[in-house]
Amino acid sequence: MSTTIAPAPAPAAARTTARADHRGGLGRRGLVEKTWFTLFRGAAVVNGLALLVICAFLAYNGLPAITWEFLTEVPRNSMTEGGIWPCIVGTAILACGAMIVAFPLGVASAIYLNEYATNPRLVRVIRLGINNLAGVPSVVFGLFGLAFFVTFMGLGVSILAGVLTLGALVLPVIIGTAEEALRSVPDTYREASLGLGATKWQTISRVVLPAALPGMLTGSILGLSRAAGETAAIMFTAAVFFTPTMPSSIFSKVMALPYHIYVLATAGTEIEVTRPLQYGTALVLIALVLGMNLVAIWLRARLQKKL
């Protein structure tokens, strides 16, 4: 009984089929990749256009109100005249003070979590708490500051209470970015330093931290922007409707641009009259935040060049 064996496919035909399947798979993956990148570019364009529209709207309505008097004098006549100089000074003090409080604490916490902590369960719990704090609304931090700093510690409504509240607000952001910056430093840096006889702390302070500092400044930029633009966190702890004098100490009350906008738009006696001043104040706030961010970016670029 004879059996017929089917001839094997020619090697050339098999290779052609494999190449066609490979090209088909690459084509499908390329199409999916192009689709997702198109969606990402579209989202970026939409966000950019929204930002431009908002800035153009504020500039159109606020530029007529911005004069030298508006930028250098105190408010007068129920906020309908004068300027916003105390608000500018107060916002800068609160934002910079919050960073002075939060940045060292955030970096120290990140160093502990990334370099020293050995209990993985404890680290997970701490990181979970930090992530939860990052999502807490700012009004909750404001109420916490009112209950703890203003009332319990007896600081009253003051710059110090506002700075501590804003520092607690931006601390989770700084810890997260500082940790990522420390993780980005190659382990070979640590191994080389330890191999040369340096202690663990010398390795961290002289090798790891200088290499991670530019990335940490990214977190400080984000924290600075948030601290400068917060209203709910300072309306209970530091900001007042009006004060005729500039702050003289950390226990003084202060005016701030975000709270000033809120008061003019909701609680002022002449809301419609002050409408141009509201837009002008918002435009100044954006310019102030942009200026502080540019300074931080410049410092980060200088540090990166030194490395």
Side-chain angles (χ1 to χ4, degrees):
M1 179 177 180
S2 62
T3 58
T4 304
I5 300 175
R15 287 196 298 270
T16 302
T17 303
R19 282 197 298 268
D21 292 340
H22 181 65
R23 284 197 299 269
L26 288 178
R28 287 191 295 271
R29 287 196 294 270
L31 180 60
V32 172
E33 181 179 342
K34 288 181 179 179
T35 302
W36 280 108
F37 273 112
T38 301
L39 291 175
F40 292 151
R41 291 190 186 99
V45 169
V46 170
N47 289 331
L49 288 176
L51 178 62
L52 288 176
V53 169
I54 293 172
C55 291
F57 177 78
L58 290 176
Y60 177 79
N61 292 279
L63 279 177
I66 296 179
T67 61
W68 183 249
E69 176 188 5
F70 182 72
L71 296 175
T72 58
E73 293 190 5
V74 299
R76 299 190 308 269
N77 194 16
S78 300
M79 305 290 184
T80 59
E81 297 178 1
I84 57 170
W85 175 245
C87 305
I88 297 174
V89 174
T91 300
I93 291 174
L94 290 173
C96 295
M99 296 311 302
I100 291 172
V101 170
F103 190 74
L105 290 176
V107 172
S109 301
I111 290 174
Y112 169 75
L113 292 173
N114 196 72
E115 304 292 336
Y116 285 102
T118 57
N119 188 337
R121 181 175 298 178
L122 176 63
V123 171
R124 284 197 298 270
V125 170
I126 294 174
R127 285 176 177 156
L128 178 62
I130 292 171
N131 293 332
N132 287 334
L133 282 177
V136 171
S138 59
V139 67
V140 177
F141 283 96
L143 294 174
F144 163 75
L146 173 64
F148 187 72
F149 297 123
V150 176
T151 304
F152 180 76
M153 295 186 65
L155 299 178
V157 177
S158 62
I159 292 175
L160 182 57
V163 163
L164 293 175
T165 304
L166 288 174
L169 176 68
V170 302
L171 187 60
V173 177
I174 294 177
I175 293 175
T177 53
E179 262 203 280
E180 291 299 325
L182 290 172
R183 290 196 197 101
S184 67
V185 178
D187 289 335
T188 52
Y189 286 23
R190 299 174 177 85
E191 295 166 358
S193 178
L194 294 172
L196 291 173
T199 63
K200 187 175 182 65
W201 172 244
Q202 287 174 334
T203 299
I204 293 172
S205 61
R206 300 181 184 181
V207 177
V208 178
L209 271 181
L213 192 56
M216 292 177 179
L217 286 178
T218 301
S220 70
I221 293 170
L222 296 174
L224 186 66
S225 301
R226 187 174 183 188
E230 281 296 336
T231 303
I234 62 173
M235 66 188 302
F236 304 118
T237 57
V240 293
F241 177 77
F242 175 74
T243 176
T245 59
M246 299 295 289
S248 58
S249 71
I250 58 174
F251 298 103
S252 300
K253 300 175 182 179
V254 70
M255 298 179 70
L257 289 171
Y259 186 64
H260 189 68
I261 297 170
Y262 167 76
V263 169
L264 290 180
T266 60
T269 56
E270 300 286 348
I271 294 179
E272 292 302 325
V273 175
T274 60
R275 190 76 67 189
L277 302 182
Q278 299 169 28
Y279 291 119
T281 306
L283 194 60
V284 171
L285 176 59
I286 292 176
L288 181 65
V289 172
L290 178 62
M292 290 190 291
N293 284 346
L294 288 177
V295 171
I297 292 171
W298 175 74
L299 290 175
R300 183 181 64 184
R302 288 199 61 183
L303 288 173
Q304 288 174 336
K305 286 182 179 179
K306 289 181 180 180
L307 295 176

